[in-house]
CSV table of all heavy atoms in Angstrom, one decimal:
chain,number,residue,atom,x,y,z
A,477,ASP,N,0.8,-1.3,0.0
A,477,ASP,CA,0.0,0.0,-0.1
A,477,ASP,C,0.9,1.2,0.0
A,477,ASP,O,0.6,2.3,-0.7
A,477,ASP,CB,-1.0,0.0,1.2
A,477,ASP,CG,-2.0,-1.1,1.2
A,477,ASP,OD1,-2.2,-1.6,0.1
A,477,ASP,OD2,-2.6,-1.3,2.2
A,478,VAL,N,2.0,1.2,0.8
A,478,VAL,CA,2.8,2.4,0.8
A,478,VAL,C,3.5,2.7,-0.5
A,478,VAL,O,3.7,3.7,-0.9
A,478,VAL,CB,3.8,2.3,2.1
A,478,VAL,CG1,4.9,3.3,2.0
A,478,VAL,CG2,3.0,2.3,3.4
A,479,THR,N,4.0,1.5,-1.1
A,479,THR,CA,4.7,1.7,-2.3
A,479,THR,C,3.8,2.2,-3.5
A,479,THR,O,4.2,3.0,-4.4
A,479,THR,CB,5.5,0.5,-2.8
A,479,THR,OG1,4.6,-0.6,-2.8
A,479,THR,CG2,6.6,0.2,-1.8
A,480,ALA,N,2.5,1.9,-3.3
A,480,ALA,CA,1.5,2.2,-4.4
A,480,ALA,C,1.5,3.9,-4.1
A,480,ALA,O,1.2,4.5,-5.2
A,480,ALA,CB,0.3,1.5,-4.1
A,481,ALA,N,1.4,4.2,-2.9
A,481,ALA,CA,1.3,5.7,-2.7
A,481,ALA,C,2.5,6.4,-3.1
A,481,ALA,O,2.3,7.6,-3.7
A,481,ALA,CB,1.0,5.9,-1.2
A,482,LEU,N,3.7,5.8,-2.9
A,482,LEU,CA,4.9,6.5,-3.4
A,482,LEU,C,5.0,6.6,-4.9
A,482,LEU,O,5.5,7.5,-5.5
A,482,LEU,CB,6.1,5.8,-2.7
A,482,LEU,CG,6.3,5.8,-1.3
A,482,LEU,CD1,7.4,5.0,-0.8
A,482,LEU,CD2,6.4,7.3,-0.9
A,483,ASP,N,4.5,5.5,-5.6
A,483,ASP,CA,4.3,5.6,-7.0
A,483,ASP,C,3.5,6.7,-7.5
A,483,ASP,O,3.7,7.4,-8.5
A,483,ASP,CB,3.9,4.2,-7.6
A,483,ASP,CG,4.9,3.2,-7.5
A,483,ASP,OD1,6.1,3.5,-7.6
A,483,ASP,OD2,4.5,2.0,-7.4
A,484,GLU,N,2.4,6.9,-6.8
A,484,GLU,CA,1.5,8.0,-7.1
A,484,GLU,C,2.1,9.3,-7.0
A,484,GLU,O,2.0,10.3,-7.8
A,484,GLU,CB,0.2,8.0,-6.3
A,484,GLU,CG,-0.9,8.9,-6.6
A,484,GLU,CD,-2.0,8.8,-5.8
A,484,GLU,OE1,-2.2,7.9,-5.0
A,484,GLU,OE2,-3.0,9.7,-5.9
A,485,MET,N,3.0,9.5,-5.9
A,485,MET,CA,3.8,10.7,-5.8
A,485,MET,C,4.8,11.0,-6.8
A,485,MET,O,5.1,12.0,-7.1
A,485,MET,CB,4.4,10.7,-4.2
A,485,MET,CG,3.4,10.7,-3.1
A,485,MET,SD,4.1,10.6,-1.5
A,485,MET,CE,4.8,12.3,-1.4
A,486,LYS,N,5.3,9.9,-7.3
A,486,LYS,CA,6.3,10.0,-8.4
A,486,LYS,C,5.6,10.6,-9.7
A,486,LYS,O,6.1,11.3,-10.4
A,486,LYS,CB,6.8,8.6,-8.7
A,486,LYS,CG,8.2,8.3,-7.8
A,486,LYS,CD,8.7,6.9,-8.3
A,486,LYS,CE,9.2,7.0,-9.7
A,486,LYS,NZ,10.0,5.8,-9.9
A,487,ASP,N,4.4,10.0,-9.9
A,487,ASP,CA,3.6,10.5,-11.0
A,487,ASP,C,3.2,12.0,-10.9
A,487,ASP,O,3.2,12.7,-11.9
A,487,ASP,CB,2.3,9.7,-11.2
A,487,ASP,CG,2.5,8.2,-11.5
A,487,ASP,OD1,3.6,8.0,-12.0
A,487,ASP,OD2,1.7,7.4,-11.3
A,488,LYS,N,3.1,12.5,-9.6
A,488,LYS,CA,2.8,13.9,-9.4
A,488,LYS,C,4.0,14.8,-9.4
A,488,LYS,O,3.8,16.0,-9.0
A,488,LYS,CB,1.9,14.1,-8.1
A,488,LYS,CG,0.6,13.2,-8.2
A,488,LYS,CD,-0.4,13.9,-9.0
A,488,LYS,CE,-1.7,13.1,-8.9
A,488,LYS,NZ,-2.7,13.7,-9.6
A,489,GLU,N,5.2,14.2,-9.5
A,489,GLU,CA,6.4,14.9,-9.5
A,489,GLU,C,6.7,15.5,-8.1
A,489,GLU,O,7.2,16.7,-8.0
A,489,GLU,CB,6.5,16.0,-10.6
A,489,GLU,CG,6.5,15.4,-12.0
A,489,GLU,CD,6.7,16.5,-13.0
A,489,GLU,OE1,6.6,17.7,-12.8
A,489,GLU,OE2,7.1,16.1,-14.2
A,490,VAL,N,6.4,14.8,-7.1
A,490,VAL,CA,6.9,15.2,-5.8
A,490,VAL,C,8.1,14.4,-5.4
A,490,VAL,O,9.0,14.9,-4.8
A,490,VAL,CB,5.7,14.8,-4.7
A,490,VAL,CG1,6.2,15.1,-3.3
A,490,VAL,CG2,4.5,15.7,-5.0
A,491,LEU,N,8.0,13.3,-5.8
A,491,LEU,CA,9.3,12.4,-5.6
A,491,LEU,C,9.9,12.1,-6.9
A,491,LEU,O,9.3,11.9,-7.9
A,491,LEU,CB,8.9,11.0,-4.9
A,491,LEU,CG,8.4,11.1,-3.5
A,491,LEU,CD1,8.1,9.6,-3.1
A,491,LEU,CD2,9.4,11.7,-2.6
A,492,MET,N,11.3,12.1,-6.9
A,492,MET,CA,12.1,11.7,-8.1
A,492,MET,C,12.2,10.3,-8.1
A,492,MET,O,11.9,9.4,-9.1
A,492,MET,CB,13.4,12.4,-8.2
A,492,MET,CG,14.1,12.4,-9.5
A,492,MET,SD,15.4,13.6,-9.7
A,492,MET,CE,16.4,13.4,-8.3
A,493,ILE,N,12.7,9.6,-7.0
A,493,ILE,CA,12.9,8.2,-6.8
A,493,ILE,C,12.7,7.9,-5.4
A,493,ILE,O,12.7,8.8,-4.6
A,493,ILE,CB,14.3,7.7,-7.3
A,493,ILE,CG1,15.5,8.4,-6.5
A,493,ILE,CG2,14.4,7.8,-8.8
A,493,ILE,CD1,16.8,7.9,-6.8
A,494,TYR,N,12.5,6.6,-5.1
A,494,TYR,CA,12.4,6.1,-3.7
A,494,TYR,C,13.1,4.7,-3.8
A,494,TYR,O,13.1,4.0,-4.8
A,494,TYR,CB,11.0,6.1,-3.2
A,494,TYR,CG,10.0,5.1,-3.8
A,494,TYR,CD1,9.9,3.9,-3.3
A,494,TYR,CD2,9.3,5.5,-4.8
A,494,TYR,CE1,9.2,2.8,-3.8
A,494,TYR,CE2,8.4,4.5,-5.4
A,494,TYR,CZ,8.4,3.2,-4.9
A,494,TYR,OH,7.5,2.4,-5.5
A,495,ALA,N,13.6,4.3,-2.6
A,495,ALA,CA,14.1,3.0,-2.4
A,495,ALA,C,13.6,2.5,-1.2
A,495,ALA,O,13.2,3.1,-0.2
A,495,ALA,CB,15.7,3.1,-2.3
A,496,VAL,N,13.4,1.1,-1.1
A,496,VAL,CA,13.0,0.4,0.1
A,496,VAL,C,14.1,-0.6,0.4
A,496,VAL,O,14.5,-1.5,-0.3
A,496,VAL,CB,11.7,-0.4,-0.4
A,496,VAL,CG1,11.3,-1.2,0.9
A,496,VAL,CG2,10.6,0.5,-0.8
A,497,GLU,N,14.6,-0.5,1.6
A,497,GLU,CA,15.5,-1.4,2.3
A,497,GLU,C,14.8,-2.2,3.2
A,497,GLU,O,14.4,-1.8,4.3
A,497,GLU,CB,16.7,-0.6,2.9
A,497,GLU,CG,17.6,0.1,2.0
A,497,GLU,CD,18.7,0.9,2.8
A,497,GLU,OE1,18.8,0.8,3.9
A,497,GLU,OE2,19.5,1.6,2.0
A,498,LYS,N,14.6,-3.6,2.9
A,498,LYS,CA,13.8,-4.4,3.7
A,498,LYS,C,14.7,-4.9,4.8
A,498,LYS,O,15.9,-5.2,4.8
A,498,LYS,CB,13.4,-5.6,3.0
A,498,LYS,CG,12.3,-5.3,1.9
A,498,LYS,CD,11.9,-6.4,1.1
A,498,LYS,CE,10.8,-5.9,0.0
A,498,LYS,NZ,10.4,-7.0,-0.7
A,499,VAL,N,14.1,-4.9,6.1
A,499,VAL,CA,14.8,-5.5,7.3
A,499,VAL,C,14.1,-6.9,7.6
A,499,VAL,O,12.9,-6.9,7.8
A,499,VAL,CB,14.6,-4.6,8.5
A,499,VAL,CG1,15.3,-5.2,9.7
A,499,VAL,CG2,15.1,-3.3,8.2
A,500,THR,N,14.8,-8.0,7.4
A,500,THR,CA,14.4,-9.2,7.5
A,500,THR,C,14.8,-10.0,8.8
A,500,THR,O,16.0,-9.6,9.3
A,500,THR,CB,14.6,-10.1,6.3
A,500,THR,OG1,16.0,-10.2,6.1
A,500,THR,CG2,13.8,-9.5,5.1
A,501,ASP,N,14.2,-11.0,9.2
A,501,ASP,CA,14.6,-11.9,10.4
A,501,ASP,C,15.1,-13.1,9.7
A,501,ASP,O,14.4,-14.0,9.2
A,501,ASP,CB,13.4,-12.1,11.2
A,501,ASP,CG,13.9,-12.9,12.5
A,501,ASP,OD1,15.1,-13.1,12.7
A,501,ASP,OD2,12.9,-13.4,13.2
A,502,ALA,N,16.5,-13.3,9.9
A,502,ALA,CA,17.1,-14.6,9.3
A,502,ALA,C,16.7,-15.8,10.0
A,502,ALA,O,16.7,-16.9,9.4
A,502,ALA,CB,18.6,-14.4,9.3
A,503,LYS,N,16.3,-15.8,11.2
A,503,LYS,CA,15.9,-17.0,12.0
A,503,LYS,C,14.6,-17.5,11.6
A,503,LYS,O,14.2,-18.6,11.7
A,503,LYS,CB,15.8,-16.7,13.5
A,503,LYS,CG,17.2,-16.3,14.0
A,503,LYS,CD,17.1,-16.0,15.5
A,503,LYS,CE,18.6,-15.7,16.0
A,503,LYS,NZ,18.5,-15.3,17.4
A,504,LYS,N,13.7,-16.6,10.9
A,504,LYS,CA,12.3,-17.1,10.6
A,504,LYS,C,12.1,-16.9,9.1
A,504,LYS,O,11.3,-16.3,8.6
A,504,LYS,CB,11.3,-16.1,11.3
A,504,LYS,CG,11.3,-16.3,12.7
A,504,LYS,CD,10.0,-15.5,13.4
A,504,LYS,CE,10.1,-15.8,14.8
A,504,LYS,NZ,9.0,-14.9,15.5
A,505,ARG,N,13.1,-17.6,8.4
A,505,ARG,CA,12.9,-17.7,7.0
A,505,ARG,C,12.8,-16.4,6.2
A,505,ARG,O,12.0,-16.2,5.3
A,505,ARG,CB,11.8,-18.6,6.6
A,505,ARG,CG,11.9,-20.0,7.0
A,505,ARG,CD,10.9,-20.9,6.8
A,505,ARG,NE,10.5,-20.8,5.4
A,505,ARG,CZ,9.4,-21.3,4.9
A,505,ARG,NH1,8.5,-21.9,5.7
A,505,ARG,NH2,9.2,-21.2,3.6
A,506,ASN,N,13.6,-15.4,6.7
A,506,ASN,CA,13.8,-14.1,6.1
A,506,ASN,C,12.4,-13.4,6.1
A,506,ASN,O,11.9,-12.7,5.1
A,506,ASN,CB,14.3,-14.1,4.7
A,506,ASN,CG,15.7,-14.5,4.6
A,506,ASN,OD1,16.4,-14.2,5.6
A,506,ASN,ND2,16.1,-15.2,3.6
A,507,ARG,N,11.6,-13.5,7.2
A,507,ARG,CA,10.4,-12.9,7.4
A,507,ARG,C,10.7,-11.2,7.5
A,507,ARG,O,11.5,-10.8,8.0
A,507,ARG,CB,9.7,-13.3,8.6
A,507,ARG,CG,8.3,-12.7,8.8
A,507,ARG,CD,7.6,-13.4,9.9
A,507,ARG,NE,6.2,-12.9,10.0
A,507,ARG,CZ,5.7,-12.5,11.0
A,507,ARG,NH1,6.2,-12.6,12.2
A,507,ARG,NH2,4.5,-12.0,11.0
A,508,LEU,N,9.8,-10.6,6.9
A,508,LEU,CA,9.9,-9.1,6.8
A,508,LEU,C,9.5,-8.6,8.2
A,508,LEU,O,8.4,-8.8,8.6
A,508,LEU,CB,8.9,-8.5,5.8
A,508,LEU,CG,9.0,-7.0,5.5
A,508,LEU,CD1,10.4,-6.6,5.0
A,508,LEU,CD2,8.0,-6.5,4.6
A,509,ILE,N,10.5,-7.8,8.8
A,509,ILE,CA,10.2,-7.2,10.1
A,509,ILE,C,9.9,-5.7,10.0
A,509,ILE,O,9.0,-5.2,10.6
A,509,ILE,CB,11.5,-7.4,11.0
A,509,ILE,CG1,11.8,-8.8,11.3
A,509,ILE,CG2,11.3,-6.6,12.4
A,509,ILE,CD1,13.2,-9.0,11.9
A,510,ASP,N,10.7,-5.0,9.1
A,510,ASP,CA,10.3,-3.6,8.9
A,510,ASP,C,11.0,-3.3,7.6
A,510,ASP,O,11.7,-4.1,6.8
A,510,ASP,CB,11.0,-2.8,10.0
A,510,ASP,CG,10.3,-1.5,10.2
A,510,ASP,OD1,9.5,-1.1,9.4
A,510,ASP,OD2,10.7,-0.8,11.3
A,511,ALA,N,10.9,-2.1,7.1
A,511,ALA,CA,11.4,-1.5,5.9
A,511,ALA,C,11.8,-0.1,6.1
A,511,ALA,O,11.0,0.6,6.7
A,511,ALA,CB,10.5,-1.8,4.7
A,512,LYS,N,12.9,0.3,5.5
A,512,LYS,CA,13.3,1.7,5.5
A,512,LYS,C,13.0,2.3,4.2
A,512,LYS,O,13.4,1.8,3.1
A,512,LYS,CB,14.8,1.7,5.8
A,512,LYS,CG,15.4,3.2,5.9
A,512,LYS,CD,16.8,3.0,6.3
A,512,LYS,CE,17.5,4.1,6.8
A,512,LYS,NZ,18.9,4.2,7.0
A,513,LEU,N,12.3,3.4,4.1
A,513,LEU,CA,11.9,4.1,2.9
A,513,LEU,C,12.8,5.3,2.7
A,513,LEU,O,12.9,6.1,3.6
A,513,LEU,CB,10.4,4.5,3.0
A,513,LEU,CG,9.5,3.4,3.3
A,513,LEU,CD1,8.1,4.0,3.6
A,513,LEU,CD2,9.3,2.4,2.2
A,514,ILE,N,13.5,5.3,1.6
A,514,ILE,CA,14.5,6.4,1.4
A,514,ILE,C,13.9,7.1,0.1
A,514,ILE,O,13.8,6.6,-0.9
A,514,ILE,CB,15.9,5.9,1.0
A,514,ILE,CG1,16.4,5.0,2.3
A,514,ILE,CG2,16.8,7.1,0.7
A,514,ILE,CD1,17.6,4.2,1.8
A,515,LEU,N,13.4,8.4,0.4
A,515,LEU,CA,12.8,9.2,-0.6
A,515,LEU,C,13.7,10.3,-1.1
A,515,LEU,O,14.2,11.1,-0.3
A,515,LEU,CB,11.5,9.8,0.1
A,515,LEU,CG,10.6,8.9,0.8
A,515,LEU,CD1,9.4,9.6,1.5
A,515,LEU,CD2,10.1,7.7,-0.1
A,516,THR,N,13.8,10.4,-2.3
A,516,THR,CA,14.5,11.6,-3.0
A,516,THR,C,13.5,12.5,-3.6
A,516,THR,O,12.8,12.1,-4.5
A,516,THR,CB,15.5,11.1,-4.1
A,516,THR,OG1,16.3,10.1,-3.4
A,516,THR,CG2,16.3,12.2,-4.6
A,517,PRO,N,13.4,13.7,-3.2
A,517,PRO,CA,12.4,14.7,-3.8
A,517,PRO,C,12.7,15.1,-5.1
A,517,PRO,O,13.7,15.1,-5.7
A,517,PRO,CB,12.5,15.9,-2.8
A,517,PRO,CG,13.8,15.9,-2.3
A,517,PRO,CD,14.3,14.4,-2.3
A,518,HIS,N,11.6,15.5,-5.8
A,518,HIS,CA,11.7,16.0,-7.3
A,518,HIS,C,12.1,17.5,-7.1
A,518,HIS,O,11.9,18.1,-6.1
A,518,HIS,CB,10.4,16.0,-7.9
A,518,HIS,CG,10.4,16.1,-9.3
A,518,HIS,ND1,10.4,17.4,-10.0
A,518,HIS,CD2,10.5,15.2,-10.4
A,518,HIS,CE1,10.5,17.3,-11.2
A,518,HIS,NE2,10.6,15.9,-11.5
A,519,PRO,N,13.0,18.0,-8.1
A,519,PRO,CA,13.5,19.3,-8.0
A,519,PRO,C,12.3,20.4,-7.9
A,519,PRO,O,12.5,21.4,-7.2
A,519,PRO,CB,14.3,19.5,-9.4
A,519,PRO,CG,14.7,18.1,-9.7
A,519,PRO,CD,13.6,17.3,-9.2
A,520,ARG,N,11.3,20.1,-8.6
A,520,ARG,CA,10.1,21.1,-8.5
A,520,ARG,C,9.6,21.1,-7.0
A,520,ARG,O,9.3,22.2,-6.5
A,520,ARG,CB,9.0,20.6,-9.5
A,520,ARG,CG,7.9,21.6,-9.6
A,520,ARG,CD,7.0,21.1,-10.7
A,520,ARG,NE,6.3,20.0,-10.2
A,520,ARG,CZ,5.0,19.9,-10.0
A,520,ARG,NH1,4.2,21.0,-10.4
A,520,ARG,NH2,4.4,18.9,-9.5
A,521,PHE,N,9.5,20.0,-6.4
A,521,PHE,CA,9.1,20.0,-5.0
A,521,PHE,C,9.9,20.7,-4.1
A,521,PHE,O,9.6,21.4,-3.1
A,521,PHE,CB,8.8,18.6,-4.5
A,521,PHE,CG,8.4,18.5,-3.1
A,521,PHE,CD1,7.1,18.8,-2.6
A,521,PHE,CD2,9.4,18.1,-2.1
A,521,PHE,CE1,6.7,18.7,-1.4
A,521,PHE,CE2,9.0,18.0,-0.8
A,521,PHE,CZ,7.7,18.2,-0.4
A,522,VAL,N,11.3,20.5,-4.3
A,522,VAL,CA,12.4,21.1,-3.6
A,522,VAL,C,12.2,22.6,-3.6
A,522,VAL,O,12.3,23.4,-2.6
A,522,VAL,CB,13.7,20.7,-4.0
A,522,VAL,CG1,14.8,21.5,-3.2
A,522,VAL,CG2,13.9,19.1,-3.6
A,523,SER,N,12.0,23.1,-4.9
A,523,SER,CA,12.0,24.6,-5.0
A,523,SER,C,10.7,25.0,-4.3
A,523,SER,O,10.7,26.2,-3.7
A,523,SER,CB,11.9,25.1,-6.5
A,523,SER,OG,10.8,24.4,-7.1
């Protein structure tokens, strides 16, 4: 759901790119624990 919202923000030229760094639990078959969202703004939004 969050990545769908970030894609929408890219379409509106608020974000230039975004990256998702997944934090997984190695003991539980790489189960997703959390994720770090790294957002780079679009130059138009910055101005």
Side-chain angles (χ1 to χ4, degrees):
D477 293 345
V478 169
T479 54
L482 294 175
D483 286 333
E484 185 177 356
M485 291 177 75
K486 276 179 63 175
D487 293 341
K488 302 283 184 180
E489 294 184 343
V490 173
L491 295 178
M492 194 163 49
I493 57 172
Y494 69 90
V496 178
E497 292 180 2
K498 296 180 180 180
V499 179
T500 58
D501 185 8
K503 295 179 183 177
K504 293 188 179 181
R505 297 179 49 194
N506 293 330
R507 183 171 185 224
L508 185 65
I509 298 173
D510 206 350
K512 182 181 199 180
L513 306 168
I514 303 167
L515 313 175
T516 305
H518 195 277
R520 191 175 67 118
F521 176 76
V522 170
S523 64

